[in-house]
Amino acid sequence: MKSNYSSWGLTGQKSQKVQKIKWRTDKLPELRAGLSLLAYGNGRSYGDSCLNKEGITLDTRSLDHLIDFDPKTHILRCEAGVLIAEILSNFVPRGWFVPVTPGTKFVTVGGAIANDVHGKNHHRRGSFGNHVLRLALRRSNGKTLVCSRTQHADLFYATIGGLGLTGLIVWADILLMPIDSGDMQVETCRFETLEQFFDLSRESEWKYEYTVAWLDCATKKQMGRGIFMRANHCTGPARLTGKGTDKGTSLPSGLPGFLINNITSKAFNALYYHLHPEGFVEKRQSYDTFFYPLDRIRNWNRLYGRKGFFQYQCVVPMEGGFRNIETILDEVARSGIASPLAVLKVFGEIASKGMMSFPRQGITLAMDFPNAGASVLNLFNRLDDIVADAGGAVYPAKDARMDKEHFRKFFPQVDTFKHYVDPAFSSSFWRRVMG
Amino acid sequence: MKKILIIGASSAIAQATARLYCAEDVHFYLIGRSRRRLKIVQEDLMARGAGKVEIDPTDPVRLADNQGVVSRAVQVLDGVDLALIAHGELSDQKACETSAEKTIRSLNINAISVISLATLIANHLEERGEGTLVVISSVAGDRGRASNYVYGAAKSCVSTFMEGLSHRLFRTGVSVITVKPGFVDTPMTEQFEKGLLWTQPEIVAEGIKKAIEKRKSTVYLPWYWRWIMQVIQLMPDPLFKRIFPVSEVGKDQSESHVEQRAE
Ligand SMILES: Cc1cc2nc3c(=O)[nH]c(=O)nc-3n(C[C@H](O)[C@H](O)[C@H](O)COP(=O)(O)OP(=O)(O)OC[C@H]3O[C@@H](n4cnc5c(N)ncnc54)[C@H](O)[C@@H]3O)c2cc1C
Ligand SMILES: NC(=O)c1ccc[n+]([C@@H]2O[C@H](COP(=O)([O-])OP(=O)(O)OC[C@H]3O[C@@H](n4cnc5c(N)ncnc54)[C@H](OP(=O)(O)O)[C@@H]3O)[C@@H](O)[C@H]2O)c1
């Protein structure tokens, strides 16, 4: 294990000054001239939003204590460094689940709040911030403020999706969700075109807690095909399986980058598509298998080799969304760069609480790309234009490269938000898009 | 109900170990010098499902208080099933070299107080005729090194004491376990560069739990440290001194809390 304070994309590995916050009673470190602070959760952001190259990184993983759980109110109070994995391994056997989970369980509660993360149930429950009732924010002036919808409400809304810039989240109250079983009832189905995807999505929204689709973004002529997934937590007699796969396999560092290229991506995607039979397939899966297939291999990001990789995730409004997704896919096809993994999901109408939250009603598309240098970056710039014209946004949690102009177009509210940024806090991302 | 006594309960390794028992019906008695920290650990264990958690803020290093605190624990728990002694401090080796006083202080924290408490607890367990005593020593006690021999000497003292204690209580039904972790990423080692051989407290905790279940007497954690230490112990002195040059001393132990970390 390395003292690895990089981000998930492994494109911007940087040495950093790090300080552990060991206890929630610890003060923030003494401010030193010119050195800004930034909390680091578990580094599952892809780009530089969790990095603070020129400043001090606050390692929050020792803030891993639960504080209280009240089954009557469903409220879990816990420190910000607690991993979702940790909550699940503790609470699934007791009949509770997190209300919203991203595609990896190795994120901290602080990170989930700061990016206002979304899951496959956005159409039902909105994003993570919708389930945060209270949080304690430690500011560089030495004060710790308990913020909620009624107390320091502005700061509360600025901190949800606030990219870690409003201070150190020390603890939070989140609402857990009761479940009958640790298993999922899953249905999957192939689709040939985007229209079919939208139909499936629409018809499933009411009956299914979770919907998402894997999209083939590697095979030029077949763009728009994929596999649709929908699921509910199993009901009926409780079968609460406990521990998930917390360890998984590990990959060594320094793997060659050629493992993922256009050819392997196409082969993988075609295989994945064709292995799925026609029509709906029903199966019962553990929550781990359904939500976190990628967590099985602990550091799969190393498959991309030394140069790392990017993820491009955008959301475009529902209106004209179909056309816009098509335009984006066309642009990707034209670039000739294959995405080994792409995901499509319809965001519902529940508004995000955060001032700067990424999730909003519309269609979100996330595509991984190996770091092939200029060709990929140019493609992203063209995609930014399409997304901006559509009135959409690119997700900062996944971003390592968007420029200032586009950031402003995606998040025009930044001029209000910046008043809530703690003067001592900053990030590599923030300096890039605001500097 | 399983009755567990933990001394140095704010230690990262101790906390990770305690969490592994929360799924069972358990009653904890936590000892440490900081009430605030014990409270944090108490709330955590309760929220994780522990039945009962009591705290007793007493400094384990104050020998005069040892008898009292162990008696209280025994009384409140109504007999101890499992005791873990985890407190310890990675002393500033450089400072110890020029100060006999600091050296003695380190021995008090890492050896004398541990032995005092282990004696009291072992006698209680012997009287009960069952139970487990676990003490966290270290691989650092297996061979003296210029970079940390004061801490190492204390740990070596603890290991030898535990070895003897385990021998004494052989066949009494009491199990006595010495845990020797390698490099663990905890607050104690914050200022070190973390390399390949480092592990997390959760991994060590799982090893401790397994050792308790299997009634081992000495356990290296993770397991490969047994082999590493075997090699290091067998190394002839001249070779050992060449492999670990004295100039390296203190290189990894910086004064400042904020360390430059290279990836
Ligand atoms: C495989 C994979 C799948 C993913 N799937 C999804 C998905 O489906 N939906 C989604 O929304 N995201 C997804 N993500 C992204 C991930 O959920 C977010 O980037 C998340 O914020 C990472 O959390 P972290 O704890 O690793 O925080 P980091 O990445 O370390 O930090 C993220 C941000 O949180 C801030 N932060 C962390 N802790 C604190 C604190 N205590 N106080 C204040 N600020 C803090 C940091 O400063 C930074 O701005 C995925 C990532 C991966 C690797
Ligand atoms: N981390 C490693 O690499 C490593 C390797 C081998 C062995 N160990 C041993 O493992 C045990 C647990 O350490 P850890 O790694 O979990 O470190 P840790 O989290 O820093 O815990 C250290 C514990 O010792 C207590 N302590 C420290 N100095 C003390 C003092 N002067 N008086 C009283 N109590 C004191 C601390 O109490 P407060 O919270 O009140 O400070 C805390 O409970 C120790 O015995 C250590 O020697 C650790």
Side-chain angles (χ1 to χ4, degrees):
Chain A
M1 203 158 322
K2 271 193 138 168
S3 53
N4 204 346
Y5 295 87
S6 51
S7 67
W8 194 245
L10 297 176
T11 47
Q13 295 194 11
K14 291 154 189 163
S15 58
Q16 302 195 1
K17 294 190 173 63
V18 177
Q19 179 152 349
K20 257 193 177 103
I21 303 288
K22 297 177 198 156
W23 296 88
R24 66 171 178 267
T25 43
D26 287 0
K27 292 201 180 87
L28 292 178
E30 295 276 314
L31 294 177
R32 304 194 191 175
L35 287 186
S36 60
L37 306 175
L38 183 75
Y40 180 93
N42 204 31
R44 256 46 180 191
S45 298
Y46 283 67
D48 50 3
S49 64
C50 59
L51 301 177
N52 191 18
K53 188 180 168 199
E54 292 84 10
I56 297 175
T57 295
L58 306 173
D59 176 337
T60 60
R61 287 289 290 112
S62 293
L63 298 182
D64 63 352
H65 300 97
L66 308 187
I67 301 174
D68 186 44
F69 176 63
D70 184 348
K72 283 202 277 309
T73 56
H74 303 196
I75 299 174
L76 171 69
R77 176 170 296 183
C78 68
E79 293 179 358
V82 170
L83 293 175
I84 284 188
E86 190 73 355
I87 297 180
L88 294 176
S89 70
N90 252 280
F91 285 95
V92 169
R94 292 151 78 180
W96 301 91
F97 209 76
V98 286
V100 169
T101 175
T104 169
K105 61 179 175 175
F106 299 115
V107 302
T108 62
V109 165
I113 295 173
N115 275 321
D116 194 9
V117 301
H118 57 270
K120 299 175 174 59
N121 59 351
H122 184 276
H123 60 283
R124 281 285 187 91
R125 306 198 185 249
S127 48
F128 198 84
N130 292 78
H131 309 272
V132 176
L133 297 183
R134 225 168 275 108
L135 55 86
L137 190 66
R138 189 150 299 156
R139 305 270 287 181
S140 64
N141 61 10
K143 295 211 171 100
T144 301
L145 306 172
V146 176
C147 309
S148 68
R149 293 169 200 185
T150 50
Q151 264 177 298
H152 305 290
D154 287 2
L155 211 45
F156 179 69
Y157 296 123
T159 300
I160 294 174
L163 301 166
L165 299 166
T166 59
L168 173 73
I169 303 167
V170 182
W171 55 259
D173 279 352
I174 56 181
L175 279 169
L176 296 188
M177 180 169 88
I179 50 169
D180 279 349
S181 163
D183 284 351
M184 310 296 300
Q185 190 58 42
V186 184
E187 293 172 19
T188 57
C189 164
R190 252 160 56 167
F191 60 87
E192 307 283 336
T193 63
L194 284 178
E195 276 110 329
Q196 285 173 15
F197 161 76
F198 286 112
D199 289 343
L200 282 166
S201 206
R202 204 168 308 125
E203 76 179 49
S204 307
E205 267 171 19
W206 293 107
K207 278 170 81 184
Y208 296 85
E209 170 86 20
Y210 303 97
T211 68
V212 72
W214 160 81
L215 193 70
D216 183 350
C217 270
T219 320
K220 219 169 179 172
K221 284 191 216 107
Q222 312 286 353
M223 284 220 186
R225 73 176 181 186
I227 293 174
F228 183 78
M229 289 164 237
R230 58 191 191 192
N232 284 313
H233 292 277
C234 288
T235 50
R239 200 189 102 183
L240 299 162
T241 43
K243 271 221 168 310
T245 48
D246 273 356
K247 276 180 224 91
T249 321
S250 281
L251 291 179
S253 58
L255 289 175
F258 60 73
L259 288 174
I260 296 183
N261 56 35
N262 278 1
I263 296 165
T264 54
S265 296
K266 277 178 197 161
F268 165 74
N269 276 272
L271 196 65
Y272 191 67
Y273 182 81
H274 288 294
L275 281 181
H276 195 287
E278 301 219 10
F280 270 101
V281 174
E282 287 182 38
K283 55 198 156 193
R284 189 180 172 113
Q285 287 181 329
S286 73
Y287 74 85
D288 257 327
T289 311
F290 175 70
F291 287 106
Y292 314 114
L294 290 170
D295 286 345
R296 295 257 192 96
I297 301 174
R298 249 301 163 93
N299 30 32
W300 56 264
N301 52 347
R302 288 180 178 169
L303 272 176
Y304 285 90
R306 269 185 198 293
K307 288 198 229 146
F309 72 116
F310 296 108
Q311 183 174 106
Y312 189 87
Q313 182 171 1
C314 60
V315 56
V316 292
M318 229 25 215
E319 205 176 316
F322 171 65
R323 276 262 83 84
N324 288 317
I325 295 292
E326 250 184 1
T327 315
I328 290 171
L329 294 182
D330 282 347
E331 194 61 54
V332 174
R334 202 161 330 133
S335 76
I337 309 169
S339 163
L341 192 68
V343 171
L344 193 61
K345 153 106 196 129
V346 174
F347 279 161
E349 58 191 17
I350 301 175
S352 298
K353 293 280 173 210
M355 208 176 272
M356 292 284 285
S357 293
F358 165 75
R360 58 201 74 184
Q361 190 171 19
I363 307 150
T364 185
L365 171 65
M367 300 172 282
D368 285 1
F369 290 98
N371 179 8
S375 57
V376 180
L377 295 172
N378 291 336
L379 168 65
F380 290 167
N381 289 338
R382 294 196 297 276
L383 299 183
D384 281 354
D385 286 334
I386 300 171
V387 174
D389 286 346
V394 168
Y395 192 5
K398 310 287 179 75
D399 180 69
R401 34 63 52 195
M402 74 168 100
D403 62 28
K404 294 174 199 171
E405 290 69 33
H406 282 102
F407 177 68
R408 259 181 195 288
K409 283 188 191 155
F410 300 146
F411 297 92
Q413 65 275 39
V414 66
D415 286 319
T416 316
F417 170 72
K418 68 183 181 202
H419 300 299
Y420 298 99
V421 171
D422 187 298
F425 279 66
S426 181
S427 67
S428 297
F429 174 85
W430 188 238
R431 290 187 288 277
R432 174 160 64 79
V433 298
M434 294 299 283
Chain B
M1 185 174 258
K2 200 176 190 102
K3 297 168 291 186
I4 305 181
L5 164 64
I6 305 183
I7 296 166
S10 57
S11 123
I13 296 174
Q15 289 186 63
T17 310
R19 286 171 181 175
L20 296 179
Y21 287 91
C22 287
E24 302 171 25
D25 185 20
V26 19
H27 185 177
F28 285 108
Y29 196 87
L30 310 180
I31 294 168
R33 60 179 171 170
S34 157
R35 172 184 292 275
R36 242 185 356 198
R37 291 182 181 176
L38 290 184
K39 248 192 101 47
I40 290 175
V41 179
Q42 178 186 38
E43 286 167 351
D44 178 59
L45 298 177
M46 287 297 289
R48 284 170 197 263
K52 242 175 164 183
V53 185
E54 243 112 2
I55 60 172
D56 186 341
T58 305
D59 187 344
V61 179
R62 281 195 36 177
L63 302 180
D65 296 341
N66 284 176
Q67 176 72 63
V69 80
V70 172
S71 303
R72 282 199 296 280
V74 167
Q75 202 187 352
V76 172
L77 292 178
D78 188 24
V80 176
D81 294 321
L82 168 63
L84 170 65
I85 304 180
H87 69 280
E89 179 186 280
L90 195 60
S91 323
D92 180 344
Q93 171 66 26
K94 273 272 162 267
C96 287
E97 283 168 21
T98 53
S99 159
E101 202 182 314
K102 285 187 175 145
T103 299
I104 303 296
R105 187 178 167 272
S106 172
L107 294 175
N108 275 332
I109 296 169
N110 294 305
I112 306 300
S113 64
V114 175
I115 287 173
S116 158
L117 289 159
T119 302
L120 297 165
I121 295 166
N123 292 346
H124 163 68
L125 297 180
E126 188 182 24
E127 210 172 286
R128 283 188 85 204
E130 60 177 351
T132 306
L133 169 64
V134 182
V135 172
I136 308 185
S137 183
S138 169
V139 295
D142 281 10
R143 186 162 188 174
R145 267 217 296 158
S147 61
N148 66 353
Y149 66 83
V150 173
Y151 173 78
K155 290 299 191 184
S156 150
C157 180
V158 167
S159 299
T160 308
F161 176 89
M162 290 294 287
E163 210 169 48
L165 186 63
S166 155
H167 194 185
R168 176 188 131 199
L169 298 180
F170 181 57
R171 293 214 177 111
T172 59
V174 176
S175 80
V176 173
I177 303 175
T178 313
V179 177
K180 297 184 179 181
F183 303 145
V184 195
D185 182 6
T186 70
M188 173 183 269
T189 51
E190 185 194 5
Q191 63 271 47
F192 288 81
E193 281 286 327
K194 309 291 188 289
L196 207 62
L197 286 174
W198 286 76
T199 192
Q200 294 299 315
E202 292 76 20
I203 305 280
V204 174
E206 274 169 28
I208 293 178
K209 188 160 189 245
K210 211 178 275 168
I212 294 168
E213 282 155 11
K214 292 194 175 161
R215 300 174 74 92
K216 293 239 170 119
S217 52
T218 301
V219 56
Y220 287 82
L221 293 172
W223 58 271
Y224 46 75
W225 281 96
R226 171 179 297 277
W227 306 107
I228 295 175
M229 293 321 294
Q230 197 105 13
V231 171
I232 287 186
Q233 279 175 309
L234 287 174
M235 228 177 250
D237 221 33
L239 178 67
F240 180 76
K241 285 173 177 157
R242 220 165 319 131
I243 288 185
F244 301 103
V246 181
S247 57
E248 293 280 302
V249 173
K251 194 181 141 200
D252 44 7
Q253 245 186 333
S254 127
E255 291 282 299
S256 113
H257 278 300
V258 176
E259 260 294 295
Q260 189 73 37
R261 303 206 190 209
E263 300 286 339

